[in-house]
C-alpha cells in the first residue's frame, strides 16, 4: 500500500514518521509512506504519476491544498466547506476523492483537554487554516463563536459561512471573555504575538496555537501571561489530522498518544 505526502518544500515533513508509527500499531507489513516533492508548476502531473504507480492515498501540504481541492473529482462535505484538500484517497479506478482532516484533527485534540459544548470560542485568523476548522468547531455546539482577524473584512466574510451565530471582530475591538481561544493565524511563524486585549482570556481559558515548535509559541507565551489556564500547541492537531487521514485510507483508528509522546521529546 503506497502513500505519499506531497508538498514544496517537503524535507521537513513529519508525516512519514507518524504514518509509519500508525501502521506499526496494526502490523501493516506492506504499508509504505514517503515524501514527494512536487514541482510548483507540476502538481497535477505529479499526482497522476503517483496514481499510475499504484498509489493508494496522499496527504497534501503547503502550497498545494487549494490546487488539490480543484483537482479532485469527488469531495467530502468537509473538504468542500474548507475549499482545501489535505488528504486524497485514490479509488481502484484512479478516481481522486478529496478530504480535509485538519478540522477533525483540531477538534479531536481540543477534546483531549476540554469540552467545547456551550463554550465561548474565539478563532483568531480568517485564512485557509481558520476556514478549514470553522464547521467542525461549530458542530461541537459552542455557546458562541467569534472570528477575529487583522483584516476585519476577511473575518466578516468567513463569519457569513458559519451562519448567524458567528460574530466577526477586529483584534482590538474584542470585548468580553472567551473559554477557548484558538490561534489560526500565521503570526507565530513570524515570531509575533497578536494585538488582542489581555482581558479576553477567561479564568479557566484554554489557549491553543495551531503552530508548534521547540519551546512556547509567541501566542502561547502571551496567553500564559494573560492568565490562560491551559496553553496547548498544535503538535496534537498534526497527529490528529494524520490519524483521521489514516482512518480514511485504512478504516483503522490509530492511537496518537505514544506517537505524540515520542515526537514531543524529539522537538
Ligand atoms: P493560512 O492558510 O495559514 O491560514 P493565509 O490564508 O495566508 O494562510 O492566512 C493567514 C492568516 O494569518 C490571516 O488571517 C492573516 O491575517 P490577514 O487576513 O489580515 O492577512 C493572519 N496573519 C498573518 N500574519 C499576521 C500577523 N503578523 N499578525 C496578525 N495576523 C496575521
Amino acid at each position: 500500500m503506497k502513500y505519499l505526502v506531497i508538498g514544496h518544500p517537503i524535507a521537513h515533513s513529519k508525516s512519514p514518521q507518524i504514518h509509519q508509527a500508525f501502521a506499526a500499531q496494526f502490523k501493516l507489513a506492506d504499508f509504505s509512506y514517503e515524501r514527494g516533492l512536487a514541482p510548483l508548476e507540476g502538481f497535477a502531473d505529479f499526482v497522476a504519476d503517483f496514481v499510475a504507480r499504484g498509489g493508494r492515498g496522499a496527504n497534501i501540504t503547503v502550497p498545494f491544498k487549494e490546487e488539490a481541492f480543484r483537482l479532485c473529482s469527488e469531495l467530502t462535505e468537509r473538504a468542500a466547506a474548507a475549499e482545501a484538500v489535505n488528504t486524497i484517497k485514490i479509488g481502484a479506478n484512479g478516481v481522486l476523492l478529496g478530504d480535509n482532516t485538519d478540522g477533525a484533527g483540531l477538534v479531536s485534540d481540543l477534546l483531549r483537554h476540554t469540552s467545547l459544548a456551550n463554550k465561548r470560542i474565539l478563532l483568531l485568523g480568517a485564512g485557509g487554516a481558520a476556514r478549514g476548522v470553522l464547521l467542525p468547531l461549530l458542530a461541537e455546539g459552542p455557546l458562541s463563536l467569534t472570528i477575529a482577524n487583522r483584516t476585519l473584512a476577511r473575518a466578516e466574510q468567513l463569519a457569513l459561512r458559519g451562519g448567524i451565530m458567528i460574530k466577526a471582530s477586529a483584534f482590538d475591538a474584542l470585548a468580553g471573555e472567551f473559554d477557548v481561544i484558538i490561534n489560526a493565524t500565521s503570526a507565530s511563524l513570524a515570531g509575533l504575538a497578536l494585538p488582542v486585549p489581555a482581558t479576553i482570556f477567561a479564568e479557566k481559558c484554554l489557549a491553543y496555537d495551531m503552530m508548534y515548535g521547540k519551546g512556547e509559541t509567541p501566542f502561547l507565551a502571551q496567553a500564559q501571561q494573560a492568565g490562560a489556564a491551559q496553553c496547548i500547541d498544535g503538535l496534537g492537531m498534526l497527529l490528529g489530522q494524520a490519524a483521521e487521514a489514516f482512518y480514511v485510507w485504512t478504516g483503522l483508528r490509530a492511537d496518537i498518544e505514544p506517537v505524540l509522546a515520542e515526537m514531543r521529546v524529539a522537538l
Side-chain angles (χ1 to χ4, degrees):
M1 294 181 288
K2 287 207 275 194
Y3 298 91
L4 206 57
V5 55
I6 305 173
H8 189 123
I10 200 62
H12 64 286
S13 173
K14 299 187 196 309
S15 292
Q17 178 191 346
I18 295 169
H19 283 277
Q20 277 150 13
F22 290 164
Q25 289 179 7
F26 300 99
K27 303 192 167 47
L28 300 183
D30 62 344
F31 184 95
S32 87
Y33 189 111
E34 290 167 11
R35 293 183 183 87
L37 177 70
L40 286 174
E41 301 300 326
F43 175 71
D45 288 345
F46 193 88
V47 173
D49 179 61
F50 180 57
V51 172
R53 288 187 290 114
R56 298 283 291 274
N59 283 132
I60 310 300
T61 187
V62 180
F64 298 124
K65 289 186 187 183
E66 281 81 15
E67 198 173 342
F69 164 73
R70 293 190 294 272
L71 183 69
C72 290
S73 58
E74 292 176 13
L75 292 169
T76 62
E77 201 179 330
R78 57 193 182 180
E83 294 176 9
V85 158
N86 81 331
T87 301
I88 296 178
K89 184 174 180 176
I90 301 165
N93 44 5
V95 167
L96 303 182
L97 171 67
D99 196 359
N100 192 312
T101 66
D102 286 331
L106 171 69
V107 167
S108 69
D109 197 34
L110 284 169
L111 292 177
R112 290 168 63 237
H113 300 95
T114 186
S115 79
L116 298 171
N118 285 317
K119 295 289 171 67
R120 297 162 293 179
I121 299 182
L122 172 61
L123 185 59
L124 301 170
R131 196 172 60 229
V133 301
L134 183 63
L135 294 187
L137 283 173
L138 274 180
E140 295 301 313
L143 183 66
S144 65
L145 203 155
T146 303
I147 302 170
N149 195 45
R150 180 175 61 182
T151 310
L152 175 61
R154 285 185 91 189
E156 288 171 340
Q157 266 167 14
L158 188 56
L160 285 178
R161 289 161 171 263
I164 48 167
M165 70 164 289
I166 304 200
K167 294 170 222 148
S169 175
F171 289 140
D172 59 3
L174 282 168
E177 294 186 334
F178 297 90
D179 307 303
V180 177
I181 302 182
I182 301 159
N183 180 19
T185 74
S186 45
S188 286
L189 273 184
L192 297 169
L194 292 170
V196 294
T199 49
I200 62 173
F201 297 86
E203 197 188 347
K204 291 188 179 148
C205 177
L206 181 149
Y208 194 98
D209 199 333
M210 289 196 196
M211 300 286 159
Y212 64 89
K214 200 175 172 63
E216 213 170 34
T217 70
F219 169 69
L220 292 181
Q222 170 181 17
Q224 188 159 34
Q225 217 166 19
Q230 295 188 78
C231 296
I232 297 152
D233 75 9
L235 190 61
M237 176 179 173
L238 175 75
L239 272 291
Q241 65 76 28
E244 186 73 12
F246 190 80
Y247 175 74
V248 167
W249 295 328
T250 65
L252 300 167
R253 288 263 176 225
D255 180 4
I256 72 161
E257 298 290 347
V259 191
L260 183 57
E262 203 176 297
M263 290 183 65
R264 177 67 68 196
V265 172
L267 271 184

